[in-house]
Amino acid sequence: MIAFFLSPAGKLLAAVLIVAAALGAGYFKGRSDGKIQQMKDTVEAVQKRGEIDNEVGKLGDYSLCLRLGGMPDDCVKLRGMEPTAQGQ
């Protein structure tokens, strides 16, 4: 058994196993890092969405219409349609 590991074939096999182990460890490390980055991006997107929701919630119908690219002549029809203006 020891004679095999001391032979050139045994040394080659040991080198191949070491390289395979290093590549496998690198693969799983990279995969783990990718998942962590994806989770961070998801959390950031949800937080940004919350900020946008807060900003949009503060806008009235007329202002929201303008922000979404509506023309002032069309959006003016929405002016005064806010719930506070209707007595609600």
Side-chain angles (χ1 to χ4, degrees):
M1 181 77 147
I2 292 178
F4 175 73
F5 288 117
L6 297 177
S7 70
K11 291 177 183 178
L12 179 64
L13 178 63
V16 168
L17 291 176
I18 290 171
V19 169
L23 290 176
Y27 171 78
F28 286 111
K29 173 74 171 131
R31 185 174 162 147
S32 174
D33 288 349
K35 286 182 179 182
I36 290 170
Q37 185 61 44
Q38 185 178 15
M39 285 188 278
K40 286 180 182 178
D41 291 344
T42 301
V43 167
E44 184 178 318
V46 168
Q47 289 173 342
K48 187 168 182 84
R49 191 191 100 206
E51 293 171 11
I52 292 171
D53 286 347
N54 288 337
E55 289 179 24
V56 170
K58 294 175 185 175
L59 295 176
D61 293 339
Y62 177 74
S63 300
L64 183 58
C65 179
L66 290 176
R67 284 268 179 107
L68 292 174
M71 300 303 292
D73 294 338
D74 295 330
C75 294
V76 76
K77 297 172 188 169
L78 297 173
R79 194 172 279 233
M81 296 293 292
E82 287 88 8
T84 55
Q86 296 176 356
Q88 294 179 357

